[in-house]
Amino acid sequence: MAISVKELGRSPGNMITLEERIAAPAELGVALIGVQEGSPVDLDLRFEAVHEGILVSGTAFAEVTGECGRCLGPIANDLDVEIQELYYYEGMGMPEDEEAEQYRVVDDYVDLEPVLRDAVVTALPFQPVCREDCEGLCSECGIRLEEDPGHHHELLDPRWAALTGLADTAADPAAQRTDSVEREES
């Protein structure tokens, strides 16, 4: 996704605009949500020559799809992100520790893909949800809690499982008589 900025030269104040629909690059998202590879991304950008390099600013618009982090239901939303990044000319004197972190104008081209990826990925939710009040899935059986609002499981600590039989016999008078008859016969 390299864009030529040759016509700007190195003359501060020169500017060009770009309104273009591009195909989304691979891996434009996170595990649960993102922009599908090849889907349209609308760019509305301005490239301005400044003393240090080329300032790219504007917006990118795309549709994001994925899964709810609670119920795993499908999600589809529009995403509109702001982009602003300075691409430095080669040979500009920067401190060495900052040099590796900066974008560069290389052979009169700027590569928009890493900037687009940074803008989109940081705008995506860490835990996407289909609705703020989504109840998610039952942790025991996986049923969607929205479909069965009163759903619950009687969870018994396995250390107390042996005592469940005692509670049943204490509540059943017939079982108590049978137990007492068995004790008398012994």
Side-chain angles (χ1 to χ4, degrees):
M1 201 181 320
I3 306 294
S4 174
V5 291
K6 186 173 187 164
E7 67 185 80
L8 292 175
R10 289 196 175 210
S11 303
N14 286 350
M15 181 183 79
I16 57 172
T17 59
L18 172 73
E19 289 183 25
E20 189 172 327
R21 176 171 276 188
I22 62 166
E27 300 176 15
L28 195 57
V30 293
L32 291 177
I33 193 166
V35 179
Q36 295 297 314
E37 182 177 359
S39 67
V41 176
D42 294 323
L43 299 176
D44 185 8
L45 300 175
R46 184 173 61 213
F47 298 81
E48 298 175 73
V50 294
H51 179 69
E52 298 87 3
I54 305 294
L55 178 64
V56 179
S57 56
T59 59
F61 177 82
E63 183 179 320
V64 295
T65 57
E67 295 179 334
C68 175
R70 294 181 190 161
C71 72
L72 301 179
I75 296 176
N77 294 321
D78 292 333
L79 181 67
D80 198 2
V81 295
E82 295 291 323
I83 294 174
Q84 185 166 12
E85 191 64 52
L86 179 60
Y87 286 80
Y88 287 91
Y89 291 127
E90 291 183 63
M92 287 301 294
M94 286 186 298
E96 286 184 28
D97 59 335
E98 291 182 22
E99 203 165 315
E101 299 173 13
Q102 304 303 324
Y103 296 106
R104 296 277 191 194
V105 176
V106 179
D107 297 328
D108 293 323
Y109 283 90
V110 295
D111 185 9
L112 291 178
E113 188 173 332
V115 172
L116 180 62
R117 180 170 285 110
D118 288 349
V120 169
V121 170
T122 57
L124 293 173
F126 180 68
Q127 287 291 324
V129 291
C130 56
R131 294 181 339 271
E132 287 301 318
D133 63 343
C134 177
E135 295 182 35
L137 303 174
C138 173
S139 61
E140 293 296 314
C141 65
I143 191 172
R144 293 181 94 173
L145 295 175
E146 177 182 298
E147 295 170 2
D148 187 4
H151 181 78
H152 71 283
H153 294 274
E154 289 294 327
L155 298 178
L156 182 63
D157 188 331
R159 297 171 290 182
W160 298 101
L163 298 177
T164 57
L166 291 176
D168 292 340
T169 57
D172 184 10
Q176 289 178 353
R177 277 184 256 138
T178 307
D179 285 346
S180 61
V181 170
E182 287 177 4
R183 276 189 246 134
E184 288 175 9
E185 290 178 358
S186 331

